[in-house]
Amino acid sequence: MERYSVQKVIGEGSFGRALLVRCKSSQEKYVVKEVQLPKRHSELENSRREAILLSRMKHPNIVAFREAFEADDSLCIVMEYCSGGDLLQRIQQQKAEQFCVDDILRWFAEMCAAALHIHDRRVLHRDLKSKNIFLTDNGTIKLGDFGSACILNSDVWSLACVLYELCTLKHPFQASSWRSLIFKVCRGAYPPLPNRLPYELQYLLKQMFKTNPKDRPSLHSILTSHRVSRLLRTHL
Ligand code: ADP
Ligand code: MG
């Protein structure tokens, strides 16, 4: 953070703060979003996701990522400064006067282009709203706040079902009615694997069947960094 001098606070929320800063060497303005890191090690990955996902985006209608670093117990995400503020402020300033159709259509087209870029990278923003859509000084849309974004990994759950079937010859969620089936799926309640199988598989299935897709491992991490990846790599 020594490379930047803080000018003012431009946003405050449950996450921490958004600061307008100036880079001491280039004199360029940026925004630093400070996110409080959780104490629990298991939740760290969730907090880092925002920076990782934003860094993967490169589009004229998405706020440009510059760098991220961790200082003390917070994560700092340095990004492009959108001096036109957010679209909610812009709407509220408008008062009685309506926006012209040209502006409405251009902004909407820019938002769609940004969302398409995100979806093409198999990411969902999940918090699209006027407060998270920023404007540059010349009125161009920049989609921001990737704090709720996640990688589309719904295939991970389905692959877990197939893995379970291979291990047990049965489907993990069996029920006599829709109602109880939904109940079991939502609770992630399935009979455990037989003991003859490596414990890593049991653990992997537990992670892949997590109810919240955000908590499931990505295919990338299953194949490279998950506890089971060593077993899998010998079979690829
Ligand atoms: P939160 O996760 O709390 O919603 P945001 O990333 O949406 O955090 O930032 C909060 C507010 O700070 C935004 O609604 C916007 O007004 C302002 N802000 C954040 N980033 C920028 C930016 N790059 N340029 C201009 N304003 C920003
Ligand atoms: Mg926000």
Side-chain angles (χ1 to χ4, degrees):
M1 208 50 198
E2 308 80 50
R3 281 170 287 132
Y4 301 95
S5 54
V6 178
Q7 312 267 292
K8 63 172 182 180
V9 178
I10 55 168
E12 236 162 329
S14 50
F15 71 93
R17 299 181 301 173
L19 307 166
L20 173 63
V21 301
R22 191 184 282 278
C23 174
K24 288 179 185 165
S25 55
S26 70
Q27 297 301 313
E28 293 278 344
K29 284 179 179 171
Y30 294 100
V31 167
V32 172
K33 181 168 172 178
E34 282 182 334
V35 185
Q36 203 69 26
L37 286 173
K39 299 264 180 299
R40 284 173 49 176
H41 198 74
S42 58
E43 290 166 14
L44 274 177
E45 205 188 325
N46 282 349
S47 305
R48 290 179 179 138
R49 186 177 291 125
E50 174 171 2
I52 292 168
L53 295 185
L54 182 64
S55 73
R56 287 191 201 162
M57 306 298 149
K58 201 173 168 54
H59 190 272
N61 300 117
I62 297 178
V63 70
F65 172 88
R66 180 174 156 89
E67 62 166 332
F69 50 87
E70 285 176 28
D72 300 324
D73 50 1
S74 59
L75 165 72
C76 296
I77 306 169
V78 187
M79 64 187 122
E80 164 183 19
Y81 169 48
C82 307
S83 60
D86 65 57
L87 202 55
L88 179 65
Q89 295 163 356
R90 186 76 179 74
I91 290 168
Q92 287 167 348
Q93 283 162 9
Q94 211 51 22
K95 304 209 175 80
E97 199 196 337
Q98 298 292 317
F99 290 123
C100 69
V101 177
D102 278 351
D103 280 346
I104 297 172
L105 293 177
R106 182 171 53 84
W107 281 336
F108 183 62
E110 289 176 349
M111 283 171 223
C112 291
L116 178 64
H117 182 84
I118 300 173
H119 293 180
D120 281 349
R121 273 143 199 80
R122 301 197 56 73
V123 170
L124 284 183
H125 183 279
R126 303 207 307 172
D127 199 14
L128 291 174
K129 59 183 182 188
S130 53
K131 204 171 171 2
N132 288 335
I133 297 169
F134 311 146
L135 290 164
T136 62
D137 52 358
N138 67 15
T140 304
I141 291 281
K142 300 273 175 172
L143 180 58
D145 193 357
F146 278 64
S148 304
C150 73
I151 299 172
L152 257 183
N153 53 5
S154 50
D155 284 348
V156 167
W157 190 89
S158 311
L159 281 175
C161 290
V162 180
L163 173 60
Y164 186 94
E165 278 182 279
L166 290 174
C167 293
T168 64
L169 310 179
K170 293 191 184 88
H171 199 276
F173 304 103
Q174 292 188 354
S176 51
S177 70
W178 272 107
R179 211 184 136 86
S180 76
L181 180 62
I182 291 167
F183 191 68
K184 283 187 179 178
V185 168
C186 291
R187 276 185 43 234
Y190 55 88
L193 293 187
N195 284 336
R196 65 177 174 84
L197 293 166
Y199 171 71
E200 282 89 342
L201 279 183
Q202 179 86 277
Y203 178 75
L204 174 65
L205 281 172
K206 192 167 162 233
Q207 307 297 312
M208 292 173 80
F209 277 135
K210 290 266 168 144
T211 321
N212 186 345
K214 263 181 125 166
D215 299 329
R216 294 176 201 150
S218 65
L219 289 171
H220 180 79
S221 90
I222 293 171
L223 288 171
T224 61
S225 61
H226 199 274
R227 285 194 211 180
V228 83
S229 62
R230 192 176 40 83
L231 297 178
L232 297 178
R233 254 176 283 147
T234 57
H235 292 86
L236 271 182

